[in-house]
Coordinates of all heavy atoms in Angstrom, one line a residue:
Y97 N 91.1 35.6 23.2 CA 91.7 37.0 23.2 C 90.6 38.0 23.1 O 89.9 38.2 22.1 CB 92.7 37.3 22.1 CG 93.6 38.4 22.5 CD1 94.9 38.2 23.0 CD2 93.2 39.7 22.3 CE1 95.6 39.2 23.4 CE2 93.9 40.8 22.8 CZ 95.2 40.5 23.3 OH 96.0 41.6 23.7
S153 N 82.7 45.4 12.5 CA 82.3 44.6 13.6 C 83.4 44.0 14.4 O 83.2 43.6 15.5 CB 81.4 43.4 13.1 OG 82.2 42.7 12.1
G154 N 84.6 44.0 13.9 CA 85.7 43.4 14.6 C 86.9 43.2 13.7 O 86.9 43.7 12.5
G155 N 87.9 42.5 14.2 CA 89.1 42.3 13.5 C 89.0 41.5 12.3 O 89.7 41.7 11.2
S156 N 88.1 40.5 12.3 CA 87.9 39.6 11.2 C 87.5 40.4 10.0 O 88.1 40.2 8.8 CB 86.9 38.5 11.5 OG 87.3 37.7 12.6
V157 N 86.5 41.2 10.1 CA 86.0 42.0 9.0 C 87.0 43.1 8.6 O 87.2 43.4 7.4 CB 84.6 42.6 9.3 CG1 84.2 43.6 8.2 CG2 83.6 41.4 9.4
N159 N 90.3 42.8 8.8 CA 91.3 42.1 8.0 C 90.6 41.8 6.6 O 91.3 41.9 5.5 CB 91.7 40.8 8.6 CG 92.8 41.0 9.7 OD1 93.7 41.6 9.4 ND2 92.5 40.5 10.8
H195 N 96.0 34.1 12.1 CA 94.7 33.9 12.7 C 93.7 33.3 11.6 O 93.9 33.6 10.4 CB 94.1 35.3 13.1 CG 92.8 35.2 13.9 ND1 91.6 35.1 13.3 CD2 92.6 35.2 15.2 CE1 90.7 35.1 14.2 NE2 91.2 35.2 15.4
C197 N 90.9 33.9 10.7 CA 90.0 34.8 9.9 C 90.7 35.1 8.5 O 89.9 35.4 7.5 CB 89.8 36.2 10.6 SG 91.2 37.3 10.7
H198 N 92.0 34.9 8.4 CA 92.6 35.2 7.1 C 92.2 34.0 6.1 O 92.2 34.2 4.9 CB 94.1 35.3 7.2 CG 94.5 36.5 8.0 ND1 94.4 37.8 7.5 CD2 94.9 36.6 9.3 CE1 94.7 38.6 8.5 NE2 95.0 38.0 9.6
N248 N 101.9 39.5 11.3 CA 101.3 39.4 12.7 C 101.9 40.5 13.6 O 103.1 40.4 13.9 CB 101.6 38.1 13.3 CG 100.6 37.0 12.9 OD1 99.4 37.3 12.9 ND2 101.0 35.8 12.7
G250 N 101.5 40.7 16.9 CA 100.8 40.0 18.0 C 100.0 38.8 17.4 O 98.8 38.9 17.1
A251 N 100.7 37.7 17.3 CA 100.1 36.5 16.8 C 99.2 35.9 17.9 O 99.5 35.9 19.1 CB 101.1 35.5 16.3
V252 N 98.1 35.3 17.4 CA 97.1 34.8 18.4 C 97.5 33.8 19.4 O 97.2 33.8 20.6 CB 95.7 34.5 17.6 CG1 95.9 33.3 16.8 CG2 94.6 34.4 18.6
D277 N 98.1 42.5 10.5 CA 97.0 42.1 11.4 C 97.5 42.5 12.8 O 98.3 41.9 13.5 CB 96.8 40.5 11.3 CG 95.7 40.2 12.3 OD1 95.2 41.0 13.1 OD2 95.3 39.0 12.2
C279 N 95.3 43.2 15.3 CA 94.2 43.1 16.2 C 94.6 42.9 17.7 O 93.9 43.5 18.6 CB 93.3 41.8 15.8 SG 92.5 42.1 14.3
I280 N 95.7 42.3 17.9 CA 96.2 42.2 19.2 C 97.3 43.3 19.5 O 97.1 44.1 20.5 CB 96.9 40.8 19.5 CG1 95.8 39.7 19.6 CG2 97.7 40.8 20.8 CD1 96.4 38.3 19.7
D306 N 91.7 46.3 16.7 CA 90.5 45.9 17.4 C 90.3 46.6 18.7 O 90.7 46.2 19.8 CB 90.7 44.3 17.8 CG 89.6 43.5 17.1 OD1 88.7 44.1 16.5 OD2 89.7 42.3 17.2
H308 N 87.9 46.6 20.5 CA 87.2 45.8 21.6 C 88.2 44.8 22.3 O 87.7 43.9 23.1 CB 85.9 45.0 21.1 CG 86.1 44.1 20.0 ND1 85.1 43.8 19.1 CD2 87.0 43.2 19.6 CE1 85.4 42.9 18.2 NE2 86.6 42.5 18.6
K309 N 89.4 44.9 21.9 CA 90.4 44.2 22.7 C 91.1 45.2 23.6 O 90.5 45.5 24.7 CB 91.3 43.5 21.7 CG 90.7 42.3 21.0 CD 91.5 41.6 20.0 CE 90.7 40.3 19.5 NZ 91.4 39.8 18.3
Ligands
PLP501 C1 91.0 38.7 17.6 C2 91.8 38.5 16.3 C3 91.3 38.6 15.1 C4 89.8 38.5 14.8 O1 89.2 39.6 15.3 P1 87.7 39.7 15.8 O2 87.5 41.0 16.5 O3 87.5 38.5 16.8 O4 86.9 39.5 14.6 C5 92.1 38.5 14.0 N1 93.5 38.5 14.2 C6 94.0 38.4 15.4 C7 95.5 38.3 15.5 C8 93.2 38.4 16.5 O5 93.7 38.4 17.8

Side-chain angles (χ1 to χ4, degrees):
Y97 202 99
S153 57
S156 302
V157 172
N159 279 308
H195 191 275
C197 72
H198 296 284
N248 271 320
V252 65
D277 181 349
C279 287
I280 289 176
D306 238 352
H308 62 209
K309 289 176 177 170

